[in-house]
Amino acid sequence: MTFSSRISSRDPFPEHLEALSTDALEILNSKLHRQAELEYQQEGEPELETRFRLEFLAEELDKRDSSGTGSAQDAGSNVTQAPASPESDRMANA
């Protein structure tokens, strides 16, 4: 499997962002922003799915910022939910 610094709208995306560590969430945020920049350069604006994912991700990051805590994984609780995709699994282990 090859590394990519972007995540396209066709790539799998985790359904439950709260299950990701803050580090994995920040990596996903970076990949989405890089994808949005590429789409903007190529098409004049990011795809609708990319914009939706960025908004979904921003909501989770804002929630963590306002609560002053990370995800349940960051706090050391036992989260039994598996990552939604191999991509999120790799991000969680980065």
Side-chain angles (χ1 to χ4, degrees):
M1 185 167 264
T2 61
F3 172 80
S4 177
S5 65
R6 296 178 186 88
I7 181 170
S8 78
S9 60
R10 293 165 296 287
D11 292 331
F13 189 79
E15 288 184 36
H16 304 285
L17 296 178
E18 64 275 0
L20 295 177
S21 69
T22 300
D23 287 343
L25 204 63
E26 290 173 352
I27 291 168
L28 186 58
N29 185 48
S30 175
K31 287 184 174 203
L32 278 171
H33 278 278
R34 287 186 46 78
Q35 181 65 31
E37 289 172 10
L38 178 68
E39 292 170 2
Y40 183 78
Q41 290 171 356
Q42 292 178 343
E43 303 165 20
E45 67 180 351
E47 292 181 20
L48 183 59
E49 181 66 18
T50 300
R51 293 190 314 236
F52 173 75
R53 289 175 172 189
L54 280 167
E55 183 177 322
F56 187 52
L57 191 65
E59 288 175 7
E60 179 63 23
L61 287 168
D62 289 346
K63 183 174 21 171
R64 292 183 190 196
D65 283 345
S66 67
S67 70
T69 62
S71 71
Q73 286 180 349
D74 294 334
S77 90
N78 294 326
V79 175
T80 57
Q81 184 174 3
S85 70
E87 178 73 14
S88 61
D89 188 36
R90 279 196 313 279
M91 287 184 289
N93 293 320

